[in-house]
Every structure is written in C-alpha cells, then in structure tokens.
Amino acid sequence: MKILLKTCQLLIVALVLTGCKNKTEKPVEDTRTIIEKCTDQYTFLSDSIKSALDTKRMMPRNIGKNGQTGLTGIYDWTSGFYPGSLWYLNLLTNDSKWENLALEYTKKLDTIQYWTGNHDVGFMIECSYGNALKKEASAAFDSVIVQTAKSLATRFHPGAGIIQSWDSSKKWNCPVIIDNMMNLELLFHATEISGDSTYYNIAVSHANKTMENHFRADNSSFHVLNYDTETGEVLEKRTHQGYADDSAWARGQAWGLYGFTLCYRVTKDENYLNQALKIADFIKNHPNLPEDNIPYWDYNAPVDENTPRDASAAAITASALLELSGYLSTEKSNIYNTFANDIIKSLSSPAYFAETGTNNGFLLKHSVGSLPHGVEIDTPLNYADYYFLEALYRQQN
Ligand code: GLY
C-alpha cells in the first residue's frame, strides 16, 4: 500500500512538473523589475551623453578601448538603435520623459531618408521612425518611411532579384549579407503606408533569393554572397564577420531568423515560416550552444575559456522567437516561447545584465561586433540593448 501511495505521489509530481514545462512561461514580476532597472540604467546613459546631442557624434554605440562611451553619427549603421531603445522604454513604461528624448534623437536621422549609400537605412529608419509610429500616427513620419524605401529601392537589381548590401569594391562585385533580411521590414511598412506594391515586391524577391541561395543543408546561412547583378549567378559564398566562409556566424543566424519571421508576419507565406523554424531549430539544437543559451560569437568557433559570447545575437534571437511562437500551434509555440524566455532570463542575470551605474549605461555586457577585424570584442553594443528591450516589450504584450 505504502509503495502504491509513493508511486502515486511521484506520478502527480511528475505530471505537475511536465505541465509547468509545457506552459508558456511569463515571468511578469521579474520582467517588471528588469524594466525598472532598464529605465534607471538608461537615465544614467542619457545623462552621460547629453552634452553630445548637438554634435556630429551623438548616438551611443559601444565602449571604446579607452573605456569611454563610443559615440557615432547618423550615417553609422547602428544610428537608429538608440532612438529605438528610447521608444521601447516609452512603450514599456508610458513615461513621457522617454517619448520626448526618443523624438529628439529620432529627428536627428531626418536626412537618412535620402541616403542611398548602403542597405542599412532599413535598420536606421525603421528602428527610429518606425517605432515612433507604433506610438502615434504621423503623416510626416509616414513620409520618411516611404522616402527611405525609395532610397533603398535604388539598390535593387531586378536581373538578380536582390538588394545590394554594400557598394562594389575590389573585393566584391555585388555583396549581399544575411543581415539585409532586416531591411525588408521598412519596405513592407512603406507599401502598407503608400499602397505602392513596388516595395513589397522588392522585399519578397530579395527574401526568395536569400532563401534559395544563402542557406546550407544544415539550415545555417553564409554571411556574404557575391552576385552577378545581371544574371543573378552567385559568384562566391564568403564571410565578413564570421570565423570561416563555411561557419555559422552567430548574429547572422539571428538576423535570418528575425528576417524570415517578419516576412511571414506580412506575407503569410508558409515558406518563410518554415525557413524561420529551420533556423530556430539550428540555433536551439546546436551542440556548441552553451547551457545558458547565449551563443559564442560563431557556432563553429573553436571554444576555450576565452571565447567570447555574443549577447546581441542572443537578444535578436529571443525577440524573433517571441514573434515566431505567436504563429504556431500551442504545442510548438510553447517550445520556442520557452526557449526565448530562457534566453531572456540569462540576459537578465548579473552575468549579462549590468548593474545600474556601470557598463557606461548600456544594459547588456558581452557582445561582439566583428572579431575577425578585432573590433568590439566583448563589449556592450547599442543593438544588443535594442533587441533586449524589444524582447521585453514583446514578452509584456
Ligand atoms: N549588420 C552588421 C552586423 O550585424 O554587425
């Protein structure tokens, strides 16, 4: 009888534990506390860079080798992330202090709408003006989105069906990087605003070519493809920021996951959803993914105790997974939602989340910009903070 009772008790405990594991975790209390810490830390950051507001380098990007906050100008590819983070703080707290600051920094980017110098205008304008439009409708801001899409569309090669990432050089004929998937959000947004399907069609063409050419059999992606602009032939498959041409650069996998998820959001094309799921599984099941779910800078980098993690890749992945899980059946959704929440939990821990008043005001520690170029290794990065805040916002909503 005793043995039977004990067995029943164990069975009940096991069932309860299994139930908990399959339930969507939503650590509301923890999230609130972490949001408060984010506002304290960004108050510290914004106060510390106030004097640079009306200079040419006003956007905080990283911590330089000299320990000072690295500030950049509006043409830097990361210039939209600081205003974007301020918008997320406003959306998360409803405190008008963040709205005023976000507006001030967003408007600094006004001239970027006419810039055709590279593909990053999607990041720059969608993270700043795009998020401003989440807060409040504005015809003036709508027109910035549409004009930026016009500028970005000048980089589209109809023969090859792709948007050129960087200008041609001695090294590249027509380089397209996996990161470019992120710029499609702005094109979709411009069609939604203007009703002009040109931008939507360019985005779909680029996504389809990327799906066709950028991925390997194991569902990891190359970083850079070099195209012939007329025929669309892929001339080379290389890396720029990864460990090797045939390795899986961690942030590149995150950009792909986020990019195909957003393509599914807009088009409802199941091929994009399946591509996003394949990338999510590649990341989730990778043998080199550490137990705390924060990847090393490249999934194929040799690992020792000094190999840097990339918190930015983790933050982008978490935010993308939260969106992806919303498009799935309950059972599947729970898997990716739990994975996202586990990543956020790790990023919110003292190992990655900076104590208020430290880390020059940035939220997250331990990201990598470009290890092969020896820059931004194990540093805070403004885009790690941006996608972390976006993930908190998605978690909250
Ligand atoms: N888009 C550039 C990077 O991810 O470093």
Side-chain angles (χ1 to χ4, degrees):
M1 190 62 185
K2 252 188 176 173
I3 294 174
L4 196 65
L5 261 175
K6 197 87 196 151
T7 314
C8 283
Q9 274 174 347
L10 282 174
L11 259 174
I12 290 167
V13 170
L15 281 172
V16 168
L17 284 178
T18 317
C20 288
K21 229 179 162 189
N22 289 339
K23 242 190 237 142
T24 303
E25 279 180 48
K26 215 175 178 195
V28 180
E29 282 308 308
D30 286 351
T31 305
R32 259 187 223 136
T33 313
I34 212 78
I35 291 168
E36 272 169 31
K37 287 185 178 177
C38 290
T39 59
D40 289 347
Q41 182 72 332
Y42 260 47
T43 299
F44 172 57
L45 173 63
S46 62
D47 286 348
S48 74
I49 58 165
K50 217 186 266 169
S51 60
L53 180 64
D54 292 321
T55 69
K56 279 198 163 160
R57 297 165 84 83
M58 76 298 275
M59 302 292 186
R61 172 173 167 147
N62 55 26
I63 299 182
K65 283 185 179 144
N66 56 5
Q68 303 290 311
T69 304
L71 295 163
T72 62
I74 61 170
Y75 291 96
D76 184 85
W77 79 274
T78 70
S79 64
F81 293 121
Y82 182 62
S85 290
L86 299 172
W87 282 117
Y88 274 122
L89 285 175
N90 177 243
L91 289 163
L92 282 161
T93 63
N94 232 358
D95 182 343
S96 60
K97 155 186 159 176
W98 299 113
E99 181 176 3
N100 297 335
L101 208 54
L103 263 178
E104 209 162 5
Y105 279 93
T106 293
K107 287 179 179 169
K108 295 277 176 202
L109 295 174
D110 181 59
T111 53
I112 295 300
Q113 62 185 301
Y114 303 105
W115 196 47
T116 56
N118 80 27
H119 69 146
D120 288 320
V121 290
F123 277 112
M124 295 145 103
I125 295 299
E126 192 58 31
C127 296
S128 52
Y129 285 92
N131 280 319
L133 285 162
K134 281 188 191 142
K135 182 74 192 171
E136 205 168 70
S138 155
F141 289 3
D142 278 353
S143 118
V144 173
I145 300 284
V146 176
Q147 177 53 50
T148 310
K150 262 183 208 153
S151 300
L152 183 54
T154 64
R155 303 186 68 82
F156 182 64
H157 294 286
I162 43 88
I163 302 163
Q164 182 163 352
S165 294
W166 311 316
D167 286 347
S168 308
S169 63
K170 272 188 199 151
K171 192 167 176 187
W172 308 110
N173 182 53
C174 172
V176 175
I177 59 177
I178 187 70
D179 324 26
N180 205 338
M181 286 299 300
M182 299 298 286
N183 295 308
L184 306 186
E185 188 164 20
L186 176 117
L187 295 175
F188 286 130
H189 195 176
T191 290
E192 188 194 316
I193 291 167
S194 66
D196 181 348
S197 59
T198 311
Y199 313 117
Y200 181 104
N201 292 336
I202 290 176
V204 164
S205 169
H206 185 90
N208 290 344
K209 286 291 166 193
T210 302
M211 199 157 58
E212 200 178 306
N213 295 325
H214 247 91
F215 288 89
R216 309 182 181 106
D218 67 356
N219 301 314
S220 67
S221 62
F222 288 92
H223 185 198
V224 193
L225 260 56
N226 196 16
Y227 278 93
D228 179 303
T229 53
E230 300 303 321
T231 64
E233 186 195 343
V234 177
L235 308 172
E236 289 176 289
K237 297 187 174 191
R238 306 283 300 276
T239 194
H240 183 62
Q241 283 156 271
Y243 171 67
D245 288 340
D246 58 358
S247 74
W249 174 49
R251 196 161 54 255
Q253 312 315 303
W255 291 142
L257 172 63
Y258 194 115
F260 282 101
T261 304
L262 81 84
C263 285
Y264 178 73
R265 178 205 309 157
V266 180
T267 64
K268 297 294 171 229
D269 181 336
E270 295 280 332
N271 290 317
Y272 298 147
L273 183 65
N274 291 335
Q275 190 63 51
L277 282 168
K278 286 190 225 168
I279 304 169
D281 288 340
F282 171 85
I283 294 171
K284 189 172 172 300
N285 302 326
H286 202 284
N288 291 354
L289 183 68
E291 221 163 277
D292 66 3
N293 296 306
I294 312 301
Y296 295 103
W297 69 283
D298 188 303
Y299 288 94
N300 301 104
V303 173
D304 63 28
E305 69 277 11
N306 296 319
T307 309
R309 306 295 188 91
D310 185 7
S312 77
I316 299 158
T317 300
S319 183
L321 288 169
L322 287 176
E323 176 170 12
L324 179 65
S325 62
Y327 302 136
L328 306 170
S329 64
T330 314
E331 198 187 333
K332 269 195 146 186
S333 170
N334 286 340
I335 296 170
Y336 298 102
N337 195 279
T338 302
F339 184 33
N341 287 331
D342 286 345
I343 296 172
I344 295 167
K345 219 183 274 175
S346 285
L347 291 176
S348 307
S349 75
Y352 297 95
F353 192 83
E355 224 177 280
T356 307
T358 67
N359 209 32
N360 290 36
F362 291 99
L363 304 176
L364 298 181
K365 307 179 269 185
H366 307 312
S367 289
V368 174
S370 183
L371 194 136
H373 299 94
V375 294
E376 299 184 321
I377 300 166
D378 197 16
T379 179
L381 289 169
N382 61 8
Y383 43 98
D385 285 9
Y386 173 85
Y387 289 101
F388 178 68
L389 287 168
E390 183 179 78
L392 294 181
Y393 179 67
R394 287 178 171 184
Q395 207 176 38
Q396 196 189 58
N397 292 280

